[in-house]
Amino acid sequence: MRQSHVANVILGIALLILSGTVSAHWTSDRPDGHAPMGVMADHVHSRGEWMVALQHSRMSMSGLRDGSDWVSPMAVQEDYHAAPLGMDMDMSMLMLMYAPSDRLTLMGMLHHMDSSMESAMHGMGSSMETSGLGDSFLGGIYKALDADGQQLLINFGVSLPTGSIDEDVPMMGMDMRAGYPMQLGSGTYDLMPGMTWLGQGDHWSWGAQAMATLRLGSNDESYTLGDEFNLTAWAARRLTSWLSLSARLEQTQFGNVDGADPAMNPDMNPAADPRNQGGDRTQLGVGANIQFSGALSGHRLGLEYIEPIRERLDGPQMSVDSTVVLAWELAW
Ligand SMILES: [Cu+2]
């Protein structure tokens, strides 16, 4: 499988860096002590420490792919009434972390979603919007190993179905159920197990994380979103005491919808077709982390820009152009 090649290359690079310089003890007290902002649950805190974070991300999509090939909206409208042209998904996140011990950090996340999608239908354009509370997350990070400038973390948690899955949008004078990507949540409790490996040298740091999203049962609209598997690896260079730059590779695999929402017409739009939701995507991210000191000690800012370098989509399905993640963090 192609993705295991990617994983091997990433691990190979990481091991090369590792064999060079390793500092005595891993510390989060440097700008690259937190992973690039697109990586969640990448670090633990010291006993009694709290952290709050606000994050905003925007994923922009345009164009349609079937497999890796582009498909025109005209061709899609031979099989569907409408063809999606593009979509923007804005996600705001509020996160709280607390460490009851040096080994265990607990975390919770709330999300707010804002999505808009443009479609072409019989030569006319239409747009729809959905907005509201997304799914929530409760979980933790357990520090299993901490030696030789490296840490091994065990991630665990559950995504709670607080996001709506019955968002309707007006279309041609009627209220119609918006497609799967426009819904605000999964509608199911989702287990999110994972593992994170971190390493640090004098000027470099690196890490890798594997994370799964496993959907339990089916939701109130009689379907289950596909499981997701995410593998990412990064390297960061500390340029000054307050600034680091990062590069990151990410491989994501996501399954098709099992079952179907009876309120959606799968012939209407590929976004409402349960067979057109799966695929896999390889992405490259570049980012910057800033750690403040003095009067602003405890504050951090981070920015990451992520772009696909390869997509294979069960299509026709909208292709991702880019994702931008901006975050502010405060620990005390
Ligand atoms: Cu934190």
Side-chain angles (χ1 to χ4, degrees):
M1 269 167 66
R2 193 174 291 159
Q3 69 207 74
S4 63
H5 286 301
V6 174
N8 286 338
V9 169
I10 292 166
L11 277 177
I13 293 170
L15 286 172
L16 267 178
I17 300 172
L18 177 67
S19 61
T21 55
V22 169
S23 69
H25 196 74
W26 193 94
T27 173
S28 67
D29 188 20
R30 46 190 269 182
D32 56 345
H34 286 192
M37 286 301 141
V39 183
M40 290 284 102
D42 59 285
H43 61 269
V44 292
H45 287 270
S46 308
R47 186 164 71 92
E49 205 169 62
W50 289 84
M51 187 181 101
V52 63
L54 281 174
Q55 179 181 298
H56 189 86
S57 66
R58 164 170 279 205
M59 182 162 80
S60 305
M61 288 175 265
S62 72
L64 293 152
R65 284 185 198 264
D66 191 352
S68 308
D69 300 328
W70 295 103
V71 210
S72 76
M74 291 290 274
V76 170
Q77 287 174 90
E78 287 168 18
D79 298 318
Y80 296 89
H81 296 295
L85 299 174
M87 178 169 164
D88 284 329
M89 191 185 292
D90 282 273
M91 187 171 81
S92 303
M93 185 194 79
L94 172 67
M95 178 172 74
L96 198 62
M97 296 174 95
Y98 171 71
S101 80
D102 283 340
R103 281 212 177 252
L104 180 68
T105 290
L106 302 175
M107 60 184 288
M109 295 192 275
L110 292 174
H111 300 93
H112 186 272
M113 319 289 292
D114 269 296
S115 296
S116 66
M117 188 170 107
E118 310 289 326
S119 297
M121 190 172 166
H122 308 308
M124 302 209 304
S126 76
S127 69
M128 58 172 82
E129 287 178 17
T130 56
S131 170
L133 186 70
D135 286 343
S136 304
F137 176 87
L138 279 179
I141 309 158
Y142 180 76
K143 184 167 69 179
L145 288 170
D146 188 355
D148 300 329
Q150 297 176 75
Q151 288 190 348
L152 186 67
L153 311 177
I154 309 291
N155 299 88
F156 58 93
V158 60
S159 171
L160 312 173
T162 49
S164 154
I165 54 165
D166 49 15
E167 291 295 302
D168 293 335
V169 289
M171 190 171 289
M172 299 188 306
M174 295 186 299
D175 263 358
M176 291 187 55
R177 181 64 45 90
Y180 297 101
M182 291 292 288
Q183 297 299 324
L184 307 175
S186 70
T188 49
Y189 289 86
D190 307 330
L191 291 181
M192 297 184 71
M195 251 169 116
T196 308
W197 169 59
L198 304 171
Q200 224 168 43
D202 288 340
H203 299 287
W204 288 88
S205 64
W206 55 90
Q209 185 183 69
M211 185 86 72
T213 305
L214 309 171
R215 323 278 183 189
L216 302 178
S218 66
N219 61 27
D220 291 345
E221 305 298 333
S222 8
Y223 68 90
T224 309
L225 289 184
D227 290 340
E228 282 187 31
F229 300 93
N230 199 287
L231 186 63
T232 185
W234 65 92
R237 167 92 188 176
R238 176 166 66 156
L239 295 181
T240 69
S241 61
W242 56 273
L243 174 70
S244 66
L245 299 179
S246 64
R248 183 163 76 88
L249 249 183
E250 181 178 58
Q251 172 71 20
T252 311
Q253 189 184 324
F254 39 100
N256 271 313
V257 170
D258 188 26
D261 183 341
M264 288 184 206
N265 176 3
D267 299 329
M268 183 66 202
N269 189 312
D273 189 334
R275 300 167 302 173
N276 288 348
Q277 312 300 324
D280 62 79
R281 181 175 287 130
T282 310
Q283 303 199 94
L284 196 60
V286 288
N289 284 3
I290 292 175
Q291 183 188 22
F292 293 90
S293 56
L296 286 176
S297 180
H299 290 261
R300 287 171 187 265
L301 281 178
L303 178 70
E304 191 177 27
Y305 174 84
I306 305 154
E307 203 175 88
I309 52 175
R310 194 191 68 91
E311 281 182 318
R312 190 206 56 77
L313 305 175
D314 294 331
Q317 188 184 138
M318 273 177 288
S319 164
V320 170
D321 292 328
S322 66
T323 304
V324 179
V325 185
L326 176 66
W328 164 81
E329 301 173 340
L330 173 62
W332 68 94

